[in-house]
Amino acid sequence: MAVSLDLTNKEIRKSLDILKPASAQKPSLVGMSRKEMGEALHVAGIADKQIKMRVSQIWHWLYVRGISDFANMKNLSKDFRALLEDKFDIARPKIVEEQISNDGTRKWLMQFPSGGAGKPVEVETVYIPEEGRGTLCISSQVGCTLTCTFCHTGTQKLVRNLTAGEILAQLLVARDRLGDFPHSDTPQGAIVPNEGRKVSNIVMMGMGEPLYNFDHVKQALLIAIDGDGLSLSRRRVTLSTSGVVPNITRTGEEIGVMLAISLHAVRDELRDVLVPINKKYPLKELLDSCRNYPGVNNARRITFEYVMLKGINDSLEDAKELVRLLKGIPAKINLIPFNPWEGSDYECSDWDTIEKFADFINANGYASPIRTPRGRDIMAACGQLKSESERMKKTERLALEAIMIAGHGE
Ligand code: SAH
Ligand code: SF4
C-alpha cells in the first residue's frame, strides 16, 4: 500500500527507532528464535558444530526450567557460562507493582527500557484464576494507536511496540510468581506437569493491538507454544484484534492460534464510532476474513467479543442483526459487561438487558457466555489497563502508524 501520509524519511527513521527497545548493553536471549540464538552464539565465538546443541541446552534452561541467571545453568561448563554472562542478558524485567484482587486476580506492572531516550516504559499483565484453568492476559504494546471510545488503554497514546522478548517476559514473570517453574535453586527438581500449571491459557487481550505488532507477537507466541519449551497448547492461546483485516489471515496461517474479534457493534455507523478502525476495515471485510480464517471449524470457533453499553448497542434489534451477520461463521459470542473507568462516557447495560441479549443469541444456536468481570477492584478488568508513560509526539505517532500499516502486506 502506498503510504499516504506526507512524512519525511527522517521522521520515518526516527519513528522506526521507537519500535525498538533501547539498545541494551547486552542483547537478551529471551525472545530470540532458535535461528537468531544460533547466529548470536556464532558471533560470540561459539564453534559452528556446537551451536545446535548449545541452542537446545539454553532453550531448555530458559523455557522448561525458567532460569533467569546463567549461573543456574548447571550442565554448562563454567567457561561457557562466563561467556554467556559476558555477552548476553536473560534477567527478568523489574516488577514495579504486584496487586492481588479480592477475587484472586493478580496484576503486575512491569518495567522495560524506554526504547530510546527517556523514561522506561511500563505495561500491565493480568492473571485470572478460574475453575480448572488459569488465564494470563498479555500486553503487546505500550498504549495503543487506536482509540476505541469505551477503552481506557485507548486514551493512552502508543509509546512503542513491545519486543518478542518483552511479550514473552510477561509469561515468564507470571510463571515465576505463580510457582509454575521448578525452583531455580533446585534445577534438578521436578518440572510442574502441564495439567498442574497455574497458567494454562494465554490471551493477547492486554494493552495494545497485537496485529499492529505482528512480527513480535508472532515470534513470542511461537516460542510460547514450542513443544520443547513452554509448551502451551495452540488451542489455549487466543489473540484478540479490533479488526486489522490484512493480518487476520496471517495469524491463522503463520501462528495458528485461536482468534477473537472485538466486534462491539453490528452496524458500520456505530462501529465507526466505538471501534474507529472500522472506517478502514468495515464490517463486511472483517467478517469475510473471519469466514476464511485458516483452520476455523465448529471445534475451533472464532470468539466475537461484544461489550454491553447501556442504550448504545444492547437492544434486541442489535442481537438479531448480530445473529444475521455471523451466519455461516463458526462462532461463539462473549458478552463483556462494560468496565467503567474514570472519565468514560458509557454505562454498563442493566443485568436484565444483558441476560435477554444472551438468551436471544443462545436460542439462535450460539454459545453466549457473559464474561464475569474480574479484578475490577484493582483496575485489572478488560479495557481498564493503562500505564503512566511518556506520550509520543504527533508526527512520530503518524509516522509509526504509516509504517505499521505499510509493513503488513496490504
Ligand atoms: N486491542 C485488542 C486486544 C485488547 S482489548 C482488541 O481490541 O481486541 C481486550 C478486550 O476488552 C477487547 O474486546 C476490548 O474491546 C475490550 N474492552 C476494552 N475496553 C473495555 C471496557 N471498558 N469494558 C469492557 N471491555 C472492554
Ligand atoms: Fe486499543 Fe483494543 Fe483498546 Fe481498541 S479496545 S483502544 S484496539 S486496546
Side-chain angles (χ1 to χ4, degrees), residues 15 25 34 79 85 87 104 137 140 169 190 199 249 273 275 283 306 328 355 369 374 379:
S15 294
Q25 301 227 303
R34 284 190 177 78
D79 287 352
E85 178 78 55
K87 304 275 186 201
C137 178
S140 54
V199 181
T249 309
V273 176
V275 187
L283 280 167
Y306 196 93
E355 282 194 328
R374 300 291 302 266
M379 287 292 282

Side-chain angles (χ1 to χ4, degrees), residues 267-312:
R267 290 176 193 83
D268 281 321
E269 304 79 69
L270 179 60
R271 198 163 187 273
D272 282 351
V273 176
L274 297 181
V275 187
I277 197 177
N278 193 69
K279 291 186 222 152
K280 197 165 171 52
Y281 306 114
L283 280 167
K284 182 170 178 326
E285 279 181 43
L286 175 61
L287 295 173
D288 281 348
S289 73
C290 293
R291 219 163 261 123
N292 300 322
Y293 188 66
V296 68
N297 58 43
N298 284 338
R300 299 190 66 205
R301 291 167 188 268
I302 296 176
T303 302
F304 288 87
E305 297 161 284
Y306 196 93
V307 65
M308 297 301 292
L309 302 170
K310 188 176 189 163
I312 305 279

Side-chain angles (χ1 to χ4, degrees), residues 25 86 132 178 244:
Q25 301 227 303
D86 186 45
L178 296 164
V244 184

Side-chain angles (χ1 to χ4, degrees), residues 67-74 81 85 90:
I67 296 302
S68 54
D69 183 349
F70 290 114
N72 284 325
M73 297 190 168
K74 295 276 160 67
R81 277 188 265 156
E85 178 78 55
I90 52 168

